[in-house]
Amino acid sequence: MAKLLSCVLGPRLYKIYRERDSERAPSGVPETPTSVTAPPSSSWASVFWSISYYSSPFAFFYLYRKGYLSLSKVVPFSHYAGTLLLLLAGVACLRGIGRWTNPQYRQFITILEATHRNQSAENKRQLANYNFDFKSWPVDFHWKEPSSRKESRGGPSYQGVALLRPEPLHRGTADTLLNRVKKLPCQITSYLVAHTLGRRMLYPGSVYLLQKALMPVLLQGQARLVEECNGRRAKLLACDGNEIDTMFVDRRETSEPQGQKLVICCEGNAGFYEVGCISTPLEAGYSVLGWNHPGFAGSTGVPFPQNEANAMDVVVQFAIYRLGFQPQDIIIYAWSIGGFTATWAAMSYPDISAVILDASFDDLVPLALKVMPDSWRGLVTRTVRQHLNLNNAEQLCRYQGPVLLIRRTKDEIITTTVPEDIMSNRGNDLLLKLLQYRYPCVMAEEGLRVVRQWLEASSQLEEAASIFSRWEVEEDWCLSVLRSYQAERGPDFPWSVGEDMNADGRQQLALFLAQKHLHNFEATHCTPLPAQNFQMPWHL
């Protein structure tokens, strides 16, 4: 009877993988995994519930206007609702009986219960052969585990990790009770916009109906990672209570030297590790750790900046303290909006090896203003700054290590005008802000002007080459100047190199540094980055 109840209340089982051989090469061809799914009725019930949840405010408003919320009308309606609940309960019981008569599901539920009681290596190895509802997956790593980190660096708290907060819009204004009351309506409006329309526009991958439509593709992507790449799935518990879905592919046992490096991948606003940018470093031979944003697929929560940073923090902790990678062997690779968590990790873990940002931007405000009416400018700016502040450039400037920016020359998402206007690509602003912080003397008026010319011409390789030849950029000379400065003053930015240099010298250095920090990729925003374009950033 207990087993029958476990089958009724147990999680949905999607696939059963074959037993994995630890000595099998990662490139082995997988067998077709067995699929064990719930009846279609339960799937449709979850979709119906999601639609009902989001449409309930409009439904209540309609019923109120029509007078259907009176007691005489509500009582018959409650009878219909009770009948529907009984039908759903009957469907759940029939599903449980079907599972109970299925020996594969009974074996799965036995292994799952044993793993929850005792997370031994053998139990977890057996559980890894199943793909099921991630809510029931046991927690593999807790944010409290690395106690040495918490004692030495403060560590996160239950309120979350530290973020850079925006400066007040009006400095010097006394924060009196009257001013607070005046601001209250605007603050309430911003809160409502951010938690309803804003968050879903910014992270469409968190919308349940979209995830439901993508479920077959996500399951197929997980099967590829587990079977073909010998990936290991894990659940991480962040300091805010969110559970983060991760996938780790270990290449340290292979003959490829880059397998000793770990690439942590940060996906876009509708990207999942199952089908996202994780494929690029995998094809390049690196060890890879992918994770899903809060509210995406198996991860719980909602993708606000604080939750995003909390999730990234536990992912990096997991890589260091459980997977055994040193920070010097970790590379952060991000695509699009993933640049926020990547730059936060670079700022918070300064010893990581490098940061690669593909099709990312400097700040969210210009991109948000692009898609909203001009009359909403004040509301949009306030909402972003208070609730959705993705300040990538500000965070990146706090990192001292190597950085590579990849600009899509036909990007239609992070341009503020049209894709053909390459100077409206916000990747340009990210580069300029980084160089202006690190090399303020080089990026003075002359250097800034010539780098802007190079960025405008970089859509055509011939024009870019002509700019380099026009300014007679000598790479050997630039390298010798930078290395001499580093030997005398040390590696910490910002550098004062170029302060005693003439305009021609500063322009040469500016062009040299711009070319080393930004590479062009002739593609649109969502085109997968080929493995040959995944290169380590330049450093002295």
Side-chain angles (χ1 to χ4, degrees):
M1 188 64 184
K3 185 65 66 177
L4 176 60
L5 183 61
S6 297
C7 291
V8 172
L9 302 178
R12 183 178 182 184
L13 178 59
Y14 298 113
K15 290 183 184 293
I16 302 176
Y17 303 118
R18 62 185 173 88
E19 288 284 341
R20 292 179 291 178
D21 184 1
S22 60
E23 297 180 356
R24 176 173 53 86
S27 60
V29 179
E31 298 175 2
T32 302
T34 306
S35 176
V36 181
T37 58
S41 55
S42 63
S43 178
W44 281 108
S46 63
V47 174
F48 177 75
W49 169 256
S50 179
I51 296 175
S52 302
Y53 174 78
Y54 288 112
S55 61
S56 58
F58 304 101
F60 275 106
F61 180 75
Y62 175 80
L63 293 174
Y64 174 78
R65 291 294 301 271
K66 293 294 183 180
Y68 292 141
L69 294 183
S70 60
L71 185 61
S72 60
K73 299 290 182 63
V74 169
V75 172
F77 177 77
S78 65
H79 294 164
Y80 295 124
T83 303
L84 179 60
L85 290 176
L86 287 175
L87 288 175
L88 291 176
V91 170
C93 291
L94 290 175
R95 181 185 64 180
I97 294 173
R99 290 172 171 177
W100 185 62
T101 58
N102 188 325
Q104 293 176 321
Y105 192 89
R106 288 206 312 272
Q107 182 183 22
F108 155 71
I109 205 69
T110 300
I111 295 173
L112 179 61
E113 291 174 344
T115 307
H116 277 287
R117 290 192 300 268
N118 179 19
Q119 292 196 33
S120 64
E122 177 60 23
N123 286 341
K124 293 175 75 172
R125 184 192 66 81
Q126 293 185 32
L127 189 65
N129 293 322
Y130 297 91
N131 188 357
F132 55 96
D133 190 347
F134 203 62
K135 293 178 182 178
S136 300
W137 191 285
V139 174
D140 296 287
F141 183 83
H142 196 286
W143 68 277
K144 286 185 176 180
E145 287 189 27
S147 57
S148 61
R149 174 188 179 272
K150 291 189 292 179
E151 294 171 0
S152 61
R153 300 181 62 233
S157 66
Y158 287 101
Q159 287 73 35
V161 298
L163 291 179
L164 297 179
R165 301 297 178 183
E167 296 181 357
L169 295 178
H170 304 286
R171 289 186 174 182
T173 304
D175 193 16
T176 62
L177 178 61
L178 181 60
N179 285 330
R180 292 183 181 181
V181 172
K182 289 180 179 179
K183 295 176 183 178
L184 189 59
C186 295
Q187 292 175 347
I188 293 175
T189 303
S190 296
Y191 179 89
L192 293 175
V193 170
H195 286 76
T196 53
L197 178 66
R199 190 258 295 176
R200 290 171 176 83
M201 287 184 63
L202 188 59
Y203 289 94
S206 64
V207 177
Y208 175 78
L209 293 179
L210 176 61
Q211 295 183 32
K212 200 68 180 178
L214 292 175
M215 182 61 72
V217 179
L218 299 182
L219 292 177
Q220 186 178 14
Q222 277 191 1
R224 181 184 68 86
L225 291 171
V226 171
E227 291 286 350
E228 296 183 17
C229 303
N230 204 20
R232 301 204 304 265
R233 200 178 186 189
K235 176 186 282 189
L236 317 183
L237 185 65
C239 60
D240 53 13
N242 288 336
E243 298 170 346
I244 307 302
D245 183 6
T246 68
M247 181 70 72
F248 171 55
V249 178
D250 194 353
R251 296 282 178 78
R252 285 175 289 188
E253 301 299 326
T254 64
S255 59
E256 299 176 351
Q258 56 266 41
Q260 304 303 315
K261 297 283 188 178
L262 175 69
V263 178
I264 299 179
C265 298
C266 304
E267 301 290 346
N269 64 353
F272 304 80
Y273 72 70
E274 293 88 342
V275 292
C277 65
I278 190 175
S279 60
T280 298
L282 273 179
E283 292 178 11
Y286 291 88
S287 295
V288 176
L289 176 60
W291 61 283
N292 281 329
H293 297 282
F296 282 52
S299 297
T300 61
V302 288
F304 281 102
Q306 184 66 66
N307 297 344
E308 288 276 292
N310 295 340
M312 187 64 187
D313 184 69
V314 76
V315 169
V316 177
Q317 289 186 54
F318 176 67
I320 297 173
Y321 294 101
R322 179 61 60 84
L323 301 181
F325 287 91
Q326 296 298 316
Q328 296 82 3
D329 295 325
I330 295 177
I331 301 154
I332 308 295
Y333 169 51
W335 172 64
S336 190
I337 209 170
F340 172 74
T341 48
T343 54
W344 180 89
M347 173 184 70
S348 304
Y349 294 86
D351 294 331
I352 63 171
S353 176
V355 174
I356 303 174
L357 302 179
D358 178 16
S360 196
F361 52 88
D362 62 322
D363 186 42
L364 181 62
V365 170
L367 298 175
L369 293 174
K370 162 192 170 182
V371 298
M372 302 303 290
D374 290 339
S375 58
W376 290 25
R377 175 176 292 272
L379 175 62
V380 171
T381 303
R382 186 183 308 109
T383 301
V384 170
R385 287 287 177 248
Q386 292 181 357
H387 303 284
L388 303 167
N389 191 35
L390 305 186
N391 49 345
N392 298 352
E394 187 180 6
Q395 294 183 152
L396 187 62
C397 288
R398 304 291 182 98
Y399 175 61
Q400 297 283 323
V403 175
L404 174 63
L405 308 179
I406 300 175
R407 182 179 66 166
R408 309 292 184 102
T409 58
K410 301 176 182 178
D411 201 310
E412 72 282 12
I413 301 298
I414 64 168
T415 49
T416 54
T417 55
V418 293
E420 292 75 19
D421 182 11
I422 196 169
M423 284 307 293
S424 70
N425 188 310
R426 296 305 299 188
N428 301 332
D429 301 86
L430 183 58
L431 172 70
L432 293 175
K433 290 177 180 179
L434 177 65
L435 294 182
Q436 285 177 311
Y437 172 78
R438 291 190 170 189
Y439 310 97
C441 297
V442 172
M443 293 299 294
E445 182 179 353
E446 303 90 349
L448 182 62
R449 183 174 63 252
V450 74
V451 170
R452 287 187 181 276
Q453 294 176 7
W454 176 77
L455 288 171
E456 187 173 7
S458 290
S459 56
Q460 300 294 332
L461 296 178
E462 296 80 5
E463 295 181 16
S466 67
I467 290 178
F468 258 71
S469 61
R470 184 195 315 166
W471 295 105
E472 298 179 350
V473 177
E474 299 178 9
E475 293 199 8
D476 292 339
W477 177 81
C478 294
L479 285 172
S480 65
V481 170
L482 295 173
R483 285 170 178 163
S484 298
Y485 180 91
Q486 185 183 51
E488 294 177 6
R489 308 285 186 89
D492 293 339
F493 296 109
W495 287 9
S496 59
V497 62
E499 61 181 346
D500 298 327
M501 195 177 293
N502 59 32
D504 290 342
R506 287 197 295 269
Q507 288 170 336
Q508 282 196 54
L509 276 178
L511 283 173
F512 174 80
L513 291 168
Q515 187 190 43
K516 294 298 183 183
H517 285 81
L518 184 140
H519 293 175
N520 282 306
F521 178 43
E522 297 284 340
T524 57
H525 188 77
C526 296
T527 304
L529 185 70
Q532 61 266 24
N533 291 78
F534 187 80
Q535 303 172 7
M536 289 300 102
W538 168 83
H539 62 91
L540 284 175

